[in-house]
Amino acid sequence: MSSSPKSTSKEQDSLTKRTEIPQSHPRAKSLRIREKLIQHFKSGVVASAGLIAHGRGEAFDYLLGEKTTQPALKAIEAAAATLLTAKHPVISVNGNAVALASKEIVELSKITKAKIEVNLFHRSFEREMTIKKVLEEAGATEVLGIGEAASARIPEVGSERRRVDPKGIPIADVVLVPLEDGDRTEALVRMGKKVIAIDLNPLSRTAQFAAITIVDNVVRAIPTLTEIVGKLKTKNKKKLEDIASTFDNKKNLGKAIDLIHRRLSKLAEKGVYLPILEVDEP
Amino acid sequence: MSSSPKSTSKEQDSLTKRTEIPQSHPRAKSLRIREKLIQHFKSGVVASAGLIAHGRGEAFDYLLGEKTTQPALKAIEAAAATLLTAKHPVISVNGNAVALASKEIVELSKITKAKIEVNLFHRSFEREMTIKKVLEEAGATEVLGIGEAASARIPEVGSERRRVDPKGIPIADVVLVPLEDGDRTEALVRMGKKVIAIDLNPLSRTAQFAAITIVDNVVRAIPTLTEIVGKLKTKNKKKLEDIASTFDNKKNLGKAIDLIHRRLSKLAEKGVYLPILEVDEP
């Protein structure tokens, strides 16, 4: 939100309305992302827990400098090669991912021939249908995991996210999970899936368990992934397998943590502040 | 939320209901805080932007180790001495602060004789009245800043948080602001107020502009502050002024940043993950 004065004080929550964010605003991009999320919260795509999760992501993105870092690019390249050599790739999406990047998800699914499957922690048929509609409006021709279609289960996952579509995750070899939860990533890995995670927190269980972790905002990571897939598409299988097999996730995560670490270090020395979390504090 | 299986999938958002969190759960405390916030979101105390802000706080709290650190204790001591020597101390609260620590805020106001003033970013009379009620149920006998009582303005603040009660902030010498926004902290400082901030992000503008910044969760910081005020109450004015004047906020903030920095450093070396953000990802 900009800090322009409001004409009335009778608004329960001015975030429910479209707000003009000037292009020049230093936080314009992040505020637009937040606005998109809030709109999708109102439409039922995003759960209230999704707003809290987004806040956590914002904090890590802010520590990373809100840009796609070198380690993220490295992971994206490995992810692109892995998706291109996969037999049955699946993109497993939740409310936040669809709210923030529905078009980007559909584009990626088309170029990689990956299925899109909806897997929600806070599941309801209504919510699933709303999410399906958003994906279809973004160009998706098939959306797995809706309603009774999610008839299979991932073992050892307690939440509703264990429900999966027999046409999707159970037969997948590679699963891309933007905004994943740790329990589920661990379970998918135990099932023998190659998990590609997009997670802004390089210290999370998801980040540590995935085969490839892209420490980046989905809003930036997914279109970049699509672009790199486009570039690698012409390479032969051997070359792609080389890229995927030489990628070291632990080492790459260490570099992402080190980036935050060095950024904090510089800031602590300088005694400067980072004003970017400060807008729209309630 | 625990990851126990749900009996029905027809729940739009299971967070709206009271959830059993087992005592043994490693994240029990943080999940209870989150549950409290969600309940107050449903009741109208907390705005949707407040949920996102809480998520940002969770991320920083997690980086701090979810405990009151030595630098936080040092700032709390300085804050206690400052409140005890203040002529007109005011505690300026928003929805999140009241949702998470209404009783603790009232206790602090009683022991320090500070006024409680409600100042909201997303202001409505209904919301103010709901917040007033929560504070009164927690034992408050006077709540400033409600409705037409907030007839004064803080200069140069654009949001509705510029509205203040003439009986509160305009005549205050010391203002305690849990969960503040940067614009407003800066404006309060320019007005000559001594600002005590409670902010989990040591890099924020609020943290950097305040005279005393307690880098801690309000849930832990406010009761600790009340306890230290109780201990320092018997000290003479000279002693209290000594404590307040020898406190160096920039130096103390540097130590808080350094703590996060060292924690990340250790974790990066070990290659261990911090599983604590992983519960209840949507």
Side-chain angles (χ1 to χ4, degrees):
Chain A
M1 306 292 103
S2 76
S3 56
S4 61
K6 291 187 196 81
S7 54
T8 164
S9 62
K10 298 287 166 191
E11 294 152 9
Q12 166 73 15
D13 187 345
S14 62
L15 278 168
T16 60
K17 300 184 313 167
R18 271 209 165 274
T19 317
E20 298 262 329
I21 302 163
Q23 280 287 354
S24 62
H25 195 291
R27 300 275 295 140
K29 214 178 269 180
S30 171
L31 294 178
R32 272 197 211 100
I33 295 173
R34 197 186 290 172
E35 200 200 344
K36 217 170 169 181
L37 195 81
I38 301 253
Q39 276 162 19
H40 280 291
F41 171 66
K42 301 290 167 190
S43 75
V45 166
V46 171
S48 50
L51 295 182
I52 299 179
H54 183 74
R56 289 198 295 272
E58 274 188 358
F60 280 102
D61 203 8
Y62 151 97
L63 290 173
L64 283 163
E66 294 180 314
K67 58 173 193 281
T68 301
T69 62
Q70 277 307 315
L73 270 178
K74 188 111 186 138
I76 287 171
E77 196 191 25
T82 302
L83 285 167
L84 283 169
T85 51
K87 280 202 183 82
H88 297 290
V90 167
I91 306 172
S92 166
V93 299
N94 68 0
N96 282 32
V98 171
L100 298 180
S102 55
K103 273 195 184 152
E104 293 82 353
I105 288 165
V106 171
E107 275 167 25
L108 179 65
S109 82
K110 285 188 174 160
I111 197 167
T112 58
K113 297 190 178 61
K115 306 261 186 202
I116 299 173
E117 177 167 344
V118 177
N119 304 108
L120 306 179
F121 196 105
H122 301 294
R123 196 180 152 96
S124 78
F125 184 62
E126 204 187 334
R127 195 170 162 224
E128 285 166 355
M129 289 304 288
T130 310
I131 289 172
K132 186 180 180 234
K133 206 179 142 225
V134 173
L135 285 165
E136 283 170 349
E137 281 168 5
T141 49
E142 190 185 21
V143 179
L144 302 180
I146 306 298
E148 294 308 312
S151 59
R153 300 286 182 276
I154 298 175
E156 294 168 63
V157 174
S159 83
E160 285 296 89
R161 287 199 79 185
R162 68 190 164 148
R163 285 177 173 247
V164 287
D165 192 318
K167 291 195 279 180
I169 285 171
I171 57 163
D173 51 347
V174 173
V175 186
L176 171 68
V177 279
L179 312 173
E180 186 52 35
D181 67 89
D183 277 355
R184 200 157 163 277
T185 303
E186 213 180 318
L188 289 171
V189 170
R190 272 199 305 269
M191 285 167 79
K193 312 296 178 193
K194 189 153 193 178
V195 176
I196 303 168
I198 305 175
D199 191 335
L200 278 159
N201 176 4
L203 303 159
S204 75
R205 212 145 47 104
T206 296
Q208 303 282 336
F209 270 99
I212 300 168
T213 308
I214 303 166
V215 180
D216 199 7
N217 194 318
V218 289
V219 168
R220 296 186 301 266
I222 300 177
T224 309
L225 181 51
T226 301
E227 192 194 323
I228 307 283
V229 166
K231 280 185 187 161
L232 294 182
K233 237 178 148 37
T234 55
K235 306 282 180 197
N236 64 38
K237 210 185 162 204
K238 172 79 180 66
K239 171 73 183 160
L240 294 172
E241 281 170 352
D242 273 359
I243 293 172
S245 66
T246 54
F247 177 75
D248 182 338
N249 204 43
K250 286 272 166 195
K251 205 171 145 189
N252 203 57
L253 278 172
K255 282 186 188 164
I257 296 167
D258 196 51
L259 271 181
I260 296 179
H261 178 236
R262 273 188 285 157
R263 203 164 127 82
L264 279 173
S265 182
K266 261 188 219 161
L267 293 162
E269 271 168 34
K270 281 192 207 161
V272 244
Y273 63 86
L274 285 175
I276 55 178
L277 271 194
E278 286 301 310
V279 185
D280 197 28
E281 291 281 6
Chain B
M1 307 297 106
S2 77
S3 56
S4 60
K6 288 187 198 84
S7 55
T8 165
S9 63
K10 299 285 167 192
E11 295 153 14
Q12 165 74 13
D13 188 345
S14 61
L15 278 169
T16 60
K17 299 185 312 167
R18 271 212 164 272
T19 316
E20 298 261 329
I21 301 162
Q23 279 287 354
S24 61
H25 196 292
R27 301 275 293 139
K29 213 177 269 181
S30 170
L31 295 178
R32 272 198 212 99
I33 296 172
R34 197 186 291 171
E35 200 199 343
K36 218 169 169 182
L37 195 81
I38 302 252
Q39 275 163 18
H40 281 292
F41 171 65
K42 302 290 166 188
S43 76
V45 166
V46 170
S48 50
L51 295 182
I52 299 179
H54 183 74
R56 288 197 296 272
E58 275 189 358
F60 281 101
D61 204 7
Y62 151 97
L63 289 173
L64 284 163
E66 293 179 314
K67 57 175 195 281
T68 300
T69 63
Q70 278 306 317
L73 271 177
K74 188 112 186 131
I76 287 171
E77 196 191 24
T82 302
L83 284 168
L84 282 169
T85 50
K87 281 203 182 81
H88 298 289
V90 167
I91 307 173
S92 166
V93 299
N94 68 0
N96 282 32
V98 172
L100 297 179
S102 55
K103 272 195 185 154
E104 293 81 355
I105 288 165
V106 172
E107 275 166 24
L108 179 65
S109 82
K110 285 189 175 160
I111 197 168
T112 56
K113 296 191 179 64
K115 305 261 186 202
I116 300 173
E117 177 167 345
V118 177
N119 303 107
L120 306 180
F121 196 105
H122 301 293
R123 197 181 153 95
S124 78
F125 184 61
E126 204 188 334
R127 195 171 162 223
E128 284 166 356
M129 289 304 287
T130 310
I131 289 172
K132 186 180 179 234
K133 207 179 141 225
V134 173
L135 285 165
E136 283 171 350
E137 280 168 5
T141 49
E142 190 185 21
V143 179
L144 303 180
I146 308 298
E148 294 308 312
S151 59
R153 299 284 183 278
I154 299 175
E156 293 167 65
V157 174
S159 83
E160 283 298 86
R161 288 201 77 185
R162 69 189 162 148
R163 285 177 173 248
V164 287
D165 193 318
K167 291 195 280 180
I169 285 170
I171 58 163
D173 52 347
V174 173
V175 186
L176 171 69
V177 278
L179 312 173
E180 186 52 34
D181 67 89
D183 276 355
R184 198 157 164 278
T185 303
E186 214 180 317
L188 289 170
V189 170
R190 272 199 306 267
M191 284 167 80
K193 312 295 176 192
K194 188 153 193 178
V195 175
I196 303 169
I198 306 176
D199 191 335
L200 278 159
N201 176 4
L203 303 159
S204 75
R205 213 146 44 105
T206 296
Q208 303 282 337
F209 270 98
I212 300 169
T213 308
I214 303 167
V215 180
D216 200 6
N217 194 318
V218 289
V219 168
R220 297 185 301 265
I222 299 177
T224 309
L225 181 51
T226 302
E227 192 194 323
I228 307 284
V229 167
K231 279 185 187 161
L232 293 182
K233 237 177 147 35
T234 55
K235 307 281 180 199
N236 63 39
K237 209 184 161 204
K238 171 81 180 63
K239 171 73 183 161
L240 295 172
E241 281 169 353
D242 273 359
I243 294 172
S245 67
T246 53
F247 176 77
D248 183 337
N249 204 44
K250 285 271 167 196
K251 205 171 147 190
N252 203 56
L253 277 171
K255 282 185 188 165
I257 297 167
D258 196 50
L259 271 181
I260 296 179
H261 177 238
R262 272 189 286 156
R263 203 165 126 81
L264 279 172
S265 181
K266 262 189 217 161
L267 293 163
E269 271 169 33
K270 281 193 207 161
V272 244
Y273 62 87
L274 284 174
I276 55 178
L277 269 194
E278 287 299 311
V279 185
D280 198 30
E281 291 281 6

